[in-house]
Amino acid sequence: MKMNKVAVIGVGLTKFGELWDQSFSDLFVEAGANAIVDAGIDGKDIDAIYLGNMSGGRFIEQEHMASLISDQAGLNPAPATRIEAACASGGLAVRQGVIAVASGMHDVVVVGGVEKMTDITSERVTQTLITAADQEWEAFLGMTFPGVYALIARRHMHEFGTTREQLAAVSVKNHANAKDNPHAQFRFDVTVEQVLGSTMVADPLTLLDCSPITDGAACIVLASPEKAKEFTDSPVYITGAGQATSTIALHDRERITVSDATINAAKAAYKMAGKGPEDIDVAEVHDCFTIAELLAIEGLGFCEIGEGGPFTEEGSTARGGKISVNTSGGLKAKGHPVGATGVAQVVEVVLQLRGEAGKRQVDADVGLTHNVGGSGGTAAVHILEK
Amino acid sequence: MTMGAPRFWRKTQSRYNLYGVKCKSCNATYFPPRKICPSCRRASKLEDVKLTPKGEVLTYTVIRSAPEGFERQTPYIMAIVKLDEGPMVTTQIVDCEPDEVEIGMAVEGVFRKIRESGKDGPIYYGFKFRPARADKDLAV
Amino acid sequence: MRPLTVGICGYGVYIPRLRIRAEEIARIWGGDGEKIKKGLLIEEKAVADFDEDTATIATEAARNALKMAGIEPAAVGAIYVGSESHPYAVKPTATIVAEAIEAAPVMTAADYEFACKAGTAAIQTCMGLVGSGMIEYGLAIGADTAQGAPGDALEYTAASGGAAYLIGKKGLIAEIEDTYSVTTDTPDFWRREGEPYPRHGGRFTGSPAYFKHVLSATLGLMKKIGAAPEDFDHAVFHQPNGKFPRNAAKNLGFTDRQLKEGILVDRIGNTYSGSSLLGLARVLDVAKPGERILVTAFGSGAGSDSFSIRVTEEIEKRRGRAPAVETYISDRRYIDYGTYVKLRRKIKVAE
C-alpha cells in the first residue's frame, strides 16, 4: 500500500508530571496552543481534530471529551473525534489524522493526546489501567498492569537468559535521556543498583522498572505536503504508518515474549515507507515497563528476538549508539500520560529530525514511533523523514 | 468494584468448572469460550468442553501493589498456566509461597473465592491453581 | 421403620492448609500456652486462607466425595450444607456447591444451621429423602470457618474445615444402621444476627449442654439397636476440644482405642459443622470392611445426632480416589497471629 505522505507542520507539549493545578482541558489547550503557534497556523485553518485519550471516563469521570476540548480550545464547529486503544490511543489518533489528510478529506488536522491521571487514588489508577487487559479473565482475578509485564519479563528471562541488570539498563538509559528533556517528569539519573533495589511492585519488576502516573498532553498539526508549504519550509513527513492487533489477553498470545502486533505493525510501516530497521536513526518506543522496551526493539527488528537485553546493556540503544531509542526519556522517565504518549512520541521524533532537540539531539534523518495498547493487543508504528 | 452481578454471573460455568470450547473443524481448544474459532472463522464448529484443571506454570509474578479489592491479599502470586489440554489461563496460585513457585511447576485447580463486590455485594467464586498433589499423596 | 439399605456412597473432606499454634494465640493474650494446650488438649487449629470460606470448603469436599463415589453429579437430587459461617446471611451456600459440582439444576438444595451439628442434620435429611425414594442420591455437607472473638477461649479452637457425604442406596462404602437424635432448647452458645462473634455460657456449655445431649443420644441409639460400647470398633464424638469427647467416651464406657482414629481436634481444632464428620472421615480412611462405627454429633442450642455405621467391602476399592484426611492435615503452613487477624479480617482496613 502506497500512501500520500503527510507533513507534520507543528508540535506542542505540556510539561509531563503531577500537574496539580491543571485540568484535563487545560492540558489540551496548552499543548494545542503550542502546536498551533509552532505551525504558524490559525484556529480557522483547522479542518478536524483527533484526540487520543484512554480513560477520561475513569480518570476524571468525563466522556465526550472531543466536544469538551474542541469547545475549550475554541475550535468549534470543526469535527472532533476521540480515539481509544488504551495506551495506544495517541498513536491511533495520529494514524487517524494521517489517514484523514492522506485521503484528501482534510488539508489540516490537529491530533492531540491527553491524560489527566492524578485526580484519583493510585489504587484506582491501577484498576483503571488494567481495563486495558481482559476484564473478565485477567483483571477480575486481581491482575495488574505491572503484573502482566512481569509475567512477560519472567518468561523472557527464562527463555532468553535476559538478566535483571539488562532490564535495569533500559531504565538507566531512559533516565539519563530524560535529564536533558525539560518536559520530562523524572530529570535525574538512576543506577542499575538503584533499579534493582527499589520497591518490588510485581516480581521481577521494581518501581524503577515502571513508568509513572503522569498528567500531560501532546499535540501535532498535520497537513498535506502542498498545504504545508504555506506554513513551513522544513516539514517532517510521515511516510509510513502501520497498525496491528493481537489478542487482548496475554495468555492467548502464541508467544507471550514476542509482541506480534509490534512485528506486524512495523512490517506494514516499513513497507509503506520503503525502509527497514537498519534505516532508522532515532526511535521513540513504548517502554511502559523496562521489559516492554526489549519487546519493542526486538519486534521492530533493531535486534534479534531475545537479544534485546544484551543489545541494550552494550549501549546500542543509547544516544549515539547503533540506534538512539527513547531520546526523550521514554515513557519510563519522560512520563506516561497514557492517551498522550503516542502523540508525544511523534513530537520527540519531529524535534530530533528538525535538529531542535537541544542537549539530547542526535544525528538523524529517519525516525520511528512505536505505541502499544495493553500488553500488546494493539500496536501502531509510524516512520518519519525529513 | 461496583459492577452488577450479571456481568460475572453469566461466566459461572467457565469460572466454576473450566468450560471452554473445542473447534471440531481444526481440533483447537479455547479457554475462555469463544463464539468463533479464530483459525476457522466461518467454518468454526465449536462445542463446549470441560477442561481438566491440570497444567504447569508458564510464567508467574508476585503482586505487591494491588488493585482495588485485592489490597488485603498482597503479596499474591499470579501466573499463566498452560493446561494439559492446550489453552493458557491467567490465574492466582494459592497454597504456595512466593519463593516456592517456579516455571514448569505442576499445578491443579482448586475452588476459591475470586473477589467480593464491596462489603455488601455479591461474592464471586471460581478456579485458582495450587501445587499439584501426586496420586500417591492422596491415601492415608 | 426405615429400610436399612441407606448409607454412604462416598465422602470427601477439605481442611485449609494454614495453621496457628495455641502458643501463638496465648503469646498475644498473655495466656500460658502449655497450660492451655493441656487444658483443652489442643496443639493447633486450621485457619481458612483469605480466599477460603464455607462455600469453597464445601465445594472441594463435595468434589472429593463425588470422585470417591464415581457417580454422575446430575444424579444428586439434594444438597444440604450445614454451617454456622455461611458466606451470605441470605443466599444459599448450597446453590454455589450445586453449580460447582454440576449437580444443578434439577435438584433441591438448602442451607442448614445447628451450631456444630448442622452437617449431621443434613445427613439425616438425605437419609429420609433417599430412604423414601424421593431422590437417588443426596449430598450432606458440614463445613465451617468458625470465628472466636479475639482473646476469647474459643479463639484457641474455632477452626476451618469440612466434609461431604454422598448418601444413597447403591454402591455403599458404609451402611448407616440407624440414627437417633435428642433436641432441647438450651442456650449454651449462640451468635445473634449481624454479630461477628459468638457468645457462650462458659461452664454451662459442659454438663447441661454437651454431656447431657451426647450421652443421652448415644445411650438412646445403643438401646434402640440393642448395642453396647464394645460392639463398636470406633467411636467419634463431637470435638469442641480434646477433653470433652474423651470424657464423654469414658462416661459411656468407650475406650481410648475406640476413640483414637477419629480424634482430630488436637491437630486442626474444632471445625464446628465439620467436626464430627471429619472425625468419621478419618475413621473411614482406615477402617476395615465389617467394622462398626458410632458417631455422635453435638450442636449447641442444643441437640445431638447419633449414628451407627457399618463399613462394607466396597470401601477398599474406592480409597485413594480423593485426598484422605491425613493428606490435608500433613500439608500445612504455620502463620503468626498478625497474619491470622489479617486473613480472618479481624483488623479494620480502609475500604
Side-chain angles (χ1 to χ4, degrees):
Chain A
M1 175 69 102
K2 190 68 195 156
M3 177 180 78
N4 298 319
K5 63 184 184 177
V6 171
V8 185
I9 61 168
V11 296
L13 283 178
T14 62
K15 170 91 177 107
F16 278 15
E18 293 172 324
L19 307 178
W20 306 114
D21 293 337
Q22 284 180 285
S23 72
F24 182 93
S25 51
D26 292 344
L27 293 169
F28 175 80
V29 170
E30 182 185 329
N34 289 342
I36 286 169
V37 168
D38 183 51
I41 62 167
D42 190 81
K44 66 175 167 18
D45 298 321
I46 297 166
D47 296 324
I49 303 144
Y50 294 93
L51 178 73
N53 172 257
M54 172 177 168
S55 197
R58 295 179 73 107
F59 286 126
I60 58 163
E61 296 196 348
Q62 174 74 58
E63 301 290 9
H64 203 189
M65 55 272 298
S67 167
L68 175 79
I69 54 105
S70 172
D71 179 12
Q72 294 298 309
L75 299 176
N76 292 348
T81 308
R82 176 222 184 159
I83 285 123
E84 188 275 310
C87 305
S89 300
L92 265 56
V94 171
R95 181 181 169 86
Q96 291 311 307
V98 166
I99 289 171
V101 172
S103 70
M105 173 82 93
H106 297 302
D107 285 331
V108 177
V109 307
V110 162
V111 177
V114 195
E115 211 74 60
K116 177 70 195 172
M117 299 174 74
T118 58
D119 279 351
I120 56 174
T121 64
S122 61
E123 290 79 16
R124 204 148 259 224
V125 171
T126 302
Q127 201 193 17
T128 297
L129 293 175
I130 196 63
T131 62
D134 187 323
Q135 192 60 27
E136 289 174 353
W137 300 101
E138 290 179 314
F140 181 76
L141 310 168
M143 205 43 170
T144 63
F145 239 87
V148 170
Y149 275 92
L151 292 175
I152 299 174
R154 176 83 64 191
R155 187 71 198 177
H156 203 276
M157 293 165 82
H158 177 79
E159 285 182 16
F160 304 118
T162 304
T163 65
R164 255 305 342 194
E165 288 74 13
Q166 289 166 352
L167 291 170
V170 172
S171 185
V172 171
K173 168 183 71 76
N174 291 349
H175 271 264
N177 288 343
K179 223 168 53 164
D180 292 332
N181 182 355
H183 290 276
Q185 185 165 4
F186 294 147
R187 300 190 65 195
F188 54 84
D189 278 315
V190 296
T191 63
V192 168
E193 293 68 35
Q194 283 174 317
V195 176
L196 266 53
S198 71
T199 306
M200 194 63 86
V201 173
D203 310 27
L205 300 181
T206 70
L207 192 61
L208 287 174
D209 284 299
C210 307
S211 55
I213 293 168
T214 309
D215 300 326
C219 201
I220 59 173
V221 182
L222 300 179
S224 61
E226 299 73 37
K227 193 79 182 173
K229 288 187 192 120
E230 293 178 22
F231 302 105
T232 176
D233 297 328
S234 56
V236 167
Y237 294 102
I238 295 179
T239 56
Q243 183 189 337
T245 311
S246 184
T247 63
I248 185 167
L250 181 64
H251 55 239
D252 284 335
R253 214 79 38 89
E254 202 163 325
R255 281 185 77 182
I256 66 168
T257 51
V258 175
S259 174
D260 57 301
T262 295
I263 292 172
N264 290 323
K267 204 184 284 175
Y270 287 138
K271 192 176 172 203
M272 193 180 284
K275 301 284 179 197
E278 64 285 356
D279 299 316
I280 308 299
D281 302 310
V282 61
E284 286 289 303
V285 308
H286 199 91
D287 61 325
C288 49
F289 299 92
T290 50
I291 179 65
E293 182 163 316
L294 302 193
L295 258 59
I297 61 177
E298 292 171 12
L300 294 166
F302 300 157
C303 63
E304 295 295 312
I305 297 290
E307 291 298 313
F311 192 71
T312 302
E313 200 171 39
E314 72 198 19
S316 298
T317 55
R319 256 152 51 193
K322 280 182 192 151
I323 174 166
S324 303
V325 175
N326 284 333
T327 54
S328 69
L331 287 53
K332 170 69 205 79
K334 179 183 57 182
H336 183 26
V338 284
T341 284
V343 183
Q345 291 177 322
V346 174
V347 173
E348 174 69 9
V349 171
V350 167
L351 293 177
Q352 287 286 357
L353 295 182
R354 281 190 197 163
E356 295 173 7
K359 283 172 76 179
R360 60 187 193 285
Q361 183 66 49
V362 296
D363 184 20
D365 295 317
V366 183
L368 175 149
T369 64
H370 163 256
N371 191 199
V372 172
S375 63
T378 299
V381 173
H382 290 98
I383 293 172
L384 295 93
E385 298 177 59
K386 279 200 243 191
Chain B
M1 193 183 61
T2 47
M3 201 62 68
R7 172 75 191 274
F8 300 109
W9 159 81
R10 70 175 70 91
K11 307 287 180 187
T12 298
Q13 268 314 317
S14 287
R15 246 185 247 297
Y16 283 15
N17 287 306
L18 217 58
Y19 272 92
V21 289
K22 185 166 187 166
C23 179
K24 285 283 158 194
S25 297
C26 68
N27 257 343
T29 305
Y30 300 99
F31 184 90
R34 290 172 175 268
K35 294 291 181 195
I36 281 181
C37 169
S39 309
C40 303
R41 301 181 196 179
R42 203 180 301 182
S44 303
K45 285 185 190 150
L46 294 171
E47 61 179 41
D48 289 351
V49 57
K50 187 179 178 177
L51 298 168
T52 308
K54 284 184 186 299
E56 65 169 56
V57 173
L58 186 84
T59 182
Y60 66 92
T61 182
V62 182
I63 304 291
R64 296 174 193 273
S65 181
E68 273 188 351
F70 289 86
E71 301 94 332
R72 278 170 178 261
Q73 294 187 52
T74 54
Y76 57 92
I77 304 168
M78 294 296 304
I80 292 179
V81 165
K82 185 168 174 50
L83 299 175
D84 290 350
E85 285 152 305
M88 300 197 285
V89 295
T90 297
T91 178
Q92 232 186 83
I93 304 288
V94 295
D95 286 359
C96 181
E97 298 310 297
D99 58 359
E100 291 167 357
V101 60
E102 53 185 40
I103 290 175
M105 185 170 87
V107 290
E108 63 187 18
V110 62
F111 191 74
R112 291 292 176 103
K113 187 157 63 180
I114 304 288
R115 68 188 301 160
E116 295 170 32
S117 192
K119 273 198 299 194
D120 55 1
I123 305 169
Y124 298 103
Y125 297 90
F127 67 82
K128 292 184 182 179
F129 280 78
R130 49 155 288 137
R133 285 193 182 90
D135 283 346
K136 66 175 171 53
D137 296 334
L138 298 185
V140 179
Chain C
M1 191 61 187
R2 191 182 47 75
L4 296 183
T5 49
V6 175
I8 300 161
C9 307
Y11 63 93
V13 303
Y14 185 84
I15 301 164
R17 178 169 170 264
L18 303 179
R19 304 282 184 279
I20 187 166
R21 289 192 170 100
E23 303 86 297
E24 174 64 9
I25 298 171
R27 181 177 71 85
I28 301 302
W29 298 103
D32 181 334
E34 287 307 313
K35 281 215 174 70
I36 287 159
K37 279 160 65 176
K38 276 203 189 103
L40 295 170
L41 292 173
I42 179 161
E43 292 287 325
E44 58 204 44
K45 67 169 187 174
V47 180
D49 207 336
F50 187 84
D51 58 354
E52 292 177 305
D53 65 14
T54 293
T56 67
I57 291 169
T59 296
E60 285 290 316
R63 285 178 172 172
N64 285 337
L66 286 180
K67 270 185 217 162
M68 186 189 202
I71 65 149
E72 283 300 311
V76 175
I79 297 179
Y80 296 97
V81 181
S83 180
E84 61 105 77
S85 49
H86 290 288
Y88 290 92
V90 178
K91 199 221 159 289
T93 307
T95 56
I96 299 166
V97 177
E99 204 76 63
I101 65 168
E102 297 187 80
V106 184
M107 57 171 299
T108 184
D111 286 356
Y112 275 0
E113 186 281 306
F114 196 147
C116 297
K117 82 159 190 79
T120 50
I123 289 183
Q124 291 176 329
T125 307
C126 288
M127 288 171 66
L129 293 172
V130 170
S132 69
M134 278 178 69
I135 60 173
E136 192 179 1
Y137 296 102
L139 194 55
I141 303 170
D144 259 307
T145 54
Q147 295 250 34
D152 188 284
L154 270 182
E155 198 177 22
Y156 292 97
T157 54
S160 302
Y165 285 79
L166 187 74
I167 305 300
K169 286 181 177 173
K170 284 183 292 196
L172 301 181
I173 56 127
E175 291 175 15
I176 302 174
E177 295 179 319
D178 213 334
T179 179
Y180 186 94
S181 292
V182 170
T183 304
T184 72
D185 187 12
T186 308
D188 60 318
F189 170 102
W190 63 88
R191 179 165 65 82
R192 291 274 297 275
E193 186 69 47
E195 291 298 310
Y197 303 116
R199 299 284 305 275
H200 55 85
R203 293 190 55 78
F204 183 65
T205 59
S207 60
Y210 181 89
F211 292 103
K212 174 177 152 185
H213 294 86
V214 167
L215 266 52
S216 53
T218 308
L219 289 168
L221 177 75
M222 289 196 294
K223 188 176 173 199
K224 185 180 173 192
I225 62 174
E230 57 272 23
D231 297 329
F232 295 95
D233 300 282
H234 305 277
V236 178
F237 299 101
H238 172 54
Q239 304 164 27
N241 53 53
K243 251 174 139 167
F244 277 26
R246 288 183 174 88
N247 288 352
K250 201 169 165 194
N251 211 308
L252 287 160
F254 287 87
T255 64
D256 282 351
R257 196 190 49 76
Q258 286 167 296
L259 274 192
K260 197 184 78 181
E261 301 291 0
I263 290 269
L264 300 175
V265 62
D266 52 329
R267 295 186 289 162
I268 61 169
N270 177 8
T271 54
Y272 283 51
S273 301
S275 172
S276 305
L277 298 187
L278 278 167
L280 172 61
R282 175 64 181 73
V283 171
L284 289 170
D285 280 347
V286 297
K288 296 180 186 66
E291 286 191 336
R292 209 170 178 196
I293 308 162
L294 178 113
V295 182
T296 301
F298 169 73
S300 288
S304 268
D305 301 326
S306 196
F307 300 83
S308 175
I309 293 167
R310 193 182 289 276
V311 178
T312 74
E313 298 284 341
E314 189 65 22
I315 199 164
E316 297 191 324
K317 289 183 222 158
R318 310 264 186 90
R319 283 191 185 128
R321 291 183 182 183
V325 173
E326 291 298 331
T327 306
Y328 283 108
I329 291 182
S330 61
D331 181 13
R332 61 187 184 272
R333 184 173 81 83
Y334 291 97
I335 56 174
D336 60 18
Y337 195 84
T339 306
Y340 168 73
V341 297
K342 174 186 167 197
L343 296 177
R344 301 310 300 150
R345 305 182 188 219
K346 292 170 194 267
I347 39 177
K348 277 201 169 169
V349 296
E351 303 269 2

